């Protein structure tokens, strides 16, 4: 009897946890679903639930050269900063894992520290340094700032993938006569690839959605898409901006899908 | 693979120089600026203003309070979700859906996410419609540009970070510990309280630290949800740099925010370390 009672109580407990979890999950997607729904409304104002179905708002935003230019700028910025972050971050992580000298812990922490520093302060700092170097509020200024904020993601995931890496495999390859480069490209790289891909995709996303760094380092006329939407939303909201926003949600979905396909979502988020 | 000294110096040196130029130096410049004025003199006047005017204290206090509320709320909402994900270990499909639903908002700009809430909280928004239909209220509530809106928006933006931090610890926890507790006769609840919860403390610490630091510097969400009034420190920093064109005062506000954040984090980790017996 008591065992039956205990079992029942456990079941109710599990049920309660599941229920709360799903409510939280609904809370997480509701606003995104609402933005997507609204982007199809036939009304001139934001209507929820949407009235009718039209792709007019998507047409209107895609016909607006300033929005298209913003999206292209954002894409260019995200790709350029990811490539630069990759070129700087992966070699740094490789050396950090192997080398042993005084201060290596400090340097490791330095590479990860932009993650815990308020992004707005990084944005302000980049404005100061690029001003001093003579390229303030330009594409290169945003670029160097974005590299700073995404570098920790790339370094961290590369380091993490090196954690489970059996160094004797490299030694074996070299004992069998492989050169340093051959060892890296045929042994090391394939094994740490998931970590690098995850880091780069995270970097790509963080650059793509950044406002705090971009807003200090751009001019209104040429702003990345999040900044452009931000400036717009502060004064008015309409179905056209919902379509723009929905567009960024579709892109997020594609990136999540890519992460799942290429790396596996549980690996990306540091599980197992 | 052994890397010789020369290559190691280059492979690590270039990224390091990059960080020094575009991360360390700019921070130094912000600090230097905070002690300067328009005439280029060394001065404490910026700090005199920031620390002497109650207004700045109020804003800083509100910033910290908001970050704290966000931390606690995301912990309360996020823990059950993270725990649930560790319970459905075998159901890979359900787990994948959970991950997608958590990552989707994380991969979407804060602006778009806040925009969703503008619609939900609006006068004719879903929340008001729902409350009217159920009959709790007789006319629509003003929800936008209120305290409640800011807090809802902040919790929403920060929740995925908390869930992921806790989930990663719960997932990597040795399941046999829980099984052992159950085999020895502990109820599910006791097992959770005595085994799972204490072991998940590192995740809670990581999650609260991330959420706290991100909340403190959050700019977009408070600005959109508050309807643009200056309520948090990051808005004051923005205003000083981009509207008032007084980077010196802006830098001082930034430094005060940074130092406060740093002190609180150090205090938090020290207190936790003292509580945790050495392992």
């Amino acid at each position: 009897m008591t065992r039956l009672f205990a079992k029942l109580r456990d079941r109710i407990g599990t049920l309660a946890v599941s229920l709360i979890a799903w409510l939280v999950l609904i809370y997480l997607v509701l606003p995104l679903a609402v933005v997507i729904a609204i982007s199809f409304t036939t009304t001139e104002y934001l209507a929820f639930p949407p009235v009718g179905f039209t792709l007019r708002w998507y047409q209107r935003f895609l016909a607006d050269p300033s929005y298209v230019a913003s999206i292209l700028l954002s894409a260019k910025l995200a790709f350029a900063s990811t490539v630069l972050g990759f070129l700087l971050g992966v070699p740094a992580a490789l050396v950090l894992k192997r080398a042993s000298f005084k201060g290596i812990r400090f340097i490791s922490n330095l590479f990860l520290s932009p993650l815990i520093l308020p992004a707005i302060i990084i944005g302000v700092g980049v404005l100061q340094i690029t001003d001093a170097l003579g390229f303030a509020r330009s594409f290169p200024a945003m670029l160097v700032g974005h590299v700073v904020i995404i570098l920790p993601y790339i370094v961290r995931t590369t380091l993490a993938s090196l954690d489970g890496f059996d160094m004797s495999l490299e030694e074996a390859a070299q004992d069998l006569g492989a050169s340093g480069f051959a060892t890296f490209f045929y042994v090391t790289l394939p094994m740490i690839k998931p970590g690098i891909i995850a880091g780069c995709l995270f970097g790509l996303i963080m650059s793509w959605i950044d406002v705090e760094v971009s807003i200090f380092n751009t001019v209104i006329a040429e702003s990345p898409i999040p900044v452009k939407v931000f400036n717009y939303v502060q004064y008015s909201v309409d179905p056209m901006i919902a379509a723009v926003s929905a567009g960024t949600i579709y892109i997020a979905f594609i990136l999540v899908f890519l992460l799942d396909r290429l790396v596996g979502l549980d690996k990306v988020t540091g599980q197992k | 693979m052994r890397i010789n000294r020369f290559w190691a110096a280059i492979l690590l040196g270039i990224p390091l120089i990059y960080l020094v130029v575009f991360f360390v130096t700019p921070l130094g410049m912000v600090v230097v600026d905070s002690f300067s004025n328009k005439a280029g003199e060394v001065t404490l006047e910026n700090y005199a203003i920031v620390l002497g005017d109650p207004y700045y204290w109020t804003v800083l206090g509100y910033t910290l309070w908001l970050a704290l509320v966000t931390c606690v709320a995301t912990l309360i909402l996020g823990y059950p979700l993270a725990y649930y994900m560790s319970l459905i270990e075998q159901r890979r499909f359900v787990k994948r859906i959970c991950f997608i639903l958590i990552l989707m908002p994380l991969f979407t700009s804060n602006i778009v996410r806040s925009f969703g809430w503008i619609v939900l909280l609006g006068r004719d928004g879903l929340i008001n419609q729902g409350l009217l239909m159920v009959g709790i209220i007789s006319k629509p509530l003003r929800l936008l540009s209120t305290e409640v809106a800011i807090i809802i928006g902040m919790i929403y933006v920060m929740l995925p970070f908390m869930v992921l931090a806790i989930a990663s610890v719960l997932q990597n926890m040795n399941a046999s510990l829980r099984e052992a507790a159950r085999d020895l006769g502990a109820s599910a609840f006791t097992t959770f309280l005595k085994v799972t919860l204490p072991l998940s403390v590192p995740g809670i610490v990581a999650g609260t630290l991330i959420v706290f630091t991100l909340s403190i510097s959050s700019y977009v969400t408070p600005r959109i949800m508050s309807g643009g009034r200056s309520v948090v420190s990051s808005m004051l920093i923005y205003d000083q740099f981009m509207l008032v064109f007084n980077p010196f005062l802006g830098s001082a506000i930034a430094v005060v925010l940074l130092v406060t954040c740093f002190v609180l984090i150090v205090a938090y980790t020290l207190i936790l370390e003292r509580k945790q017996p050495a392992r």
Side-chain angles (χ1 to χ4, degrees):
Chain A
M1 192 64 201
T2 40
R3 266 189 64 188
L4 195 71
F5 178 69
K7 216 166 181 182
L8 190 71
R9 200 183 47 190
D10 284 3
R11 268 216 84 97
I12 292 173
T14 315
L15 217 65
V17 170
S18 320
L19 186 70
I20 298 172
W22 280 99
L23 285 175
V24 172
L25 285 170
I26 291 170
Y27 171 71
L28 281 173
V29 281
L30 189 62
L32 303 183
V34 164
V35 170
I36 291 175
I38 278 178
S39 68
F40 296 115
T41 189
T42 49
T43 51
E44 289 290 322
Y45 53 91
L46 295 179
F48 191 87
V51 181
F53 180 89
T54 176
L55 292 174
R56 174 157 62 115
W57 303 111
Y58 289 88
Q59 284 166 351
R60 184 173 294 183
F61 116 68
L62 289 173
D64 183 334
S66 77
Y67 277 98
V68 176
S70 253
I71 288 173
L72 290 178
L73 177 74
S74 268
K76 208 167 88 181
L77 190 58
F79 278 106
S81 49
T82 305
V83 169
L84 213 56
F86 168 80
L87 292 176
L88 293 169
V90 174
L94 287 170
V95 176
L96 283 172
K97 200 72 202 178
R98 287 173 170 77
S100 57
F101 56 86
K102 241 176 146 179
I104 192 134
R105 253 186 86 91
F106 174 77
I107 293 177
S108 287
N109 286 333
L110 183 67
F111 273 100
L112 302 179
S113 57
L115 208 56
I116 56 157
L117 200 86
I120 195 148
I121 295 178
I122 296 177
V124 168
V126 170
L127 174 65
Q128 303 293 77
I129 186 82
T130 52
D131 194 28
L133 295 175
F135 60 100
R137 299 197 191 194
S138 62
F139 181 80
M142 283 192 284
L143 179 63
V144 295
H146 280 209
V147 173
V148 168
I149 54 169
I150 73 174
L151 207 49
Y153 291 97
I154 295 171
V155 170
R156 195 173 60 175
T157 55
T158 309
L159 280 177
S161 64
L162 283 166
D163 261 343
F165 183 71
D166 186 359
M167 300 265 182
S168 59
L169 289 173
E170 287 183 338
E171 280 161 30
Q174 296 201 307
D175 287 346
L176 292 170
S179 69
F181 279 103
T183 309
F184 178 73
F185 282 106
Y186 290 111
V187 180
T188 317
L189 197 59
M191 297 197 69
I192 62 172
K193 209 167 70 185
I196 295 176
I197 293 174
C200 287
L201 279 174
F202 257 100
L204 200 69
I205 292 150
M206 292 306 148
S207 166
W208 172 259
I209 67 175
D210 168 79
V211 177
E212 276 90 351
V213 173
S214 302
I215 206 166
F216 283 100
N217 295 290
T218 187
V219 285
I220 298 252
E222 299 169 39
S223 45
I225 193 74
V227 177
K228 193 166 172 73
V229 174
F230 178 59
N231 289 331
Y232 194 95
V233 165
Q234 279 187 77
Y235 303 103
S236 66
V237 280
D238 58 37
M240 200 268 286
I241 211 73
V244 179
S245 302
T248 69
I249 298 172
Y250 306 145
I251 289 168
F253 191 75
I254 293 169
L255 289 169
V256 172
F257 178 77
L258 275 180
L259 266 177
D260 192 30
R261 270 292 119 106
L262 295 173
V263 195
L265 288 180
D266 40 1
K267 279 209 188 86
V268 177
T269 44
Q271 341 268 325
K272 287 278 145 77
Chain B
M1 179 175 65
R2 260 175 275 120
I3 307 174
N4 69 37
R5 273 167 179 275
F6 173 73
W7 281 107
I10 288 187
L11 292 178
L12 184 61
I14 294 172
L16 201 56
I17 291 170
Y18 184 92
L19 267 192
V20 169
V21 173
F22 292 114
F23 178 62
V24 181
T25 312
L27 285 186
M29 291 173 81
V30 171
V31 175
V32 170
D33 271 356
S34 71
F35 290 104
S36 316
N37 63 14
K38 283 199 173 85
E41 299 156 343
V42 175
T43 170
L44 284 172
E45 67 191 49
N46 301 312
Y47 287 99
I49 296 170
V50 175
L51 301 175
D53 186 337
Y55 174 69
Y56 293 101
W57 285 105
T58 315
V59 173
L60 182 65
Y62 184 78
T63 308
L64 296 176
W65 179 83
L66 190 62
L68 189 71
V69 171
T70 308
C71 257
V72 174
T74 51
L75 184 58
I76 293 170
L77 291 175
Y79 202 103
L81 178 54
Y83 183 63
Y84 171 72
M85 287 170 70
S86 75
L87 291 180
I88 53 169
E89 196 67 21
Q90 297 83 25
R91 293 155 68 194
R92 312 239 10 126
F93 179 70
V94 181
K95 209 167 151 191
R96 183 177 277 183
I97 290 182
C98 289
F99 271 127
I100 293 175
L101 297 185
I102 294 166
L103 287 175
M104 280 294 293
L106 194 61
F107 287 6
T108 311
S109 168
N110 287 355
I111 296 142
V112 172
R113 294 198 263 164
S114 304
F115 178 40
W117 281 106
I118 292 181
V119 179
L120 282 167
L121 296 173
R123 232 183 143 64
D124 312 311
L126 203 60
I127 308 272
N128 266 327
Q129 282 180 28
L131 290 175
L132 282 170
M133 210 160 70
V134 179
I136 296 175
I137 51 171
S138 55
K139 56 177 192 187
L141 296 173
R142 189 191 129 94
L143 296 168
L144 274 183
S145 308
T146 63
E147 190 96 326
V148 179
I150 301 174
I151 293 172
I152 290 179
M154 287 295 288
I155 294 171
Y156 181 67
V157 167
M158 298 300 162
L159 191 55
F161 293 101
M162 185 66 89
V163 176
L164 289 178
I166 299 172
S168 80
V169 172
L170 285 178
Q171 302 284 318
N172 294 320
M173 193 181 285
N174 193 344
S176 56
L177 287 171
R178 278 188 263 182
E179 281 159 26
R182 296 305 303 271
D183 289 346
L184 292 170
S187 71
F189 185 67
T190 315
T191 308
F192 172 75
L193 216 61
K194 295 265 161 100
V195 180
T196 312
L197 189 61
L199 284 174
S200 65
V201 167
I204 296 175
V205 172
T208 43
L209 278 178
I210 295 169
V211 169
F212 188 77
T213 35
L214 288 175
S215 303
I216 264 187
S217 66
S218 188
Y219 170 75
V220 172
T221 312
R223 173 134 268 170
I224 293 181
M225 302 308 284
S226 70
R229 287 173 299 123
S230 282
V231 286
V232 295
S233 294
S234 57
M235 291 186 197
L236 294 183
I237 298 171
Y238 180 85
D239 292 347
Q240 288 302 325
F241 271 89
M242 310 305 268
L243 302 175
V244 188
F245 300 110
N246 187 349
F248 309 106
L249 189 60
S251 295
I253 302 170
V255 171
V256 170
L257 182 68
L258 191 61
V259 170
T260 316
C261 184
F262 184 73
V263 168
L264 287 172
I265 288 172
V266 169
Y268 178 67
T269 40
L270 280 182
I271 291 168
L272 281 173
E273 257 170 36
R274 197 165 293 173
K275 278 214 171 133
Q276 208 104 23
R279 268 179 287 187

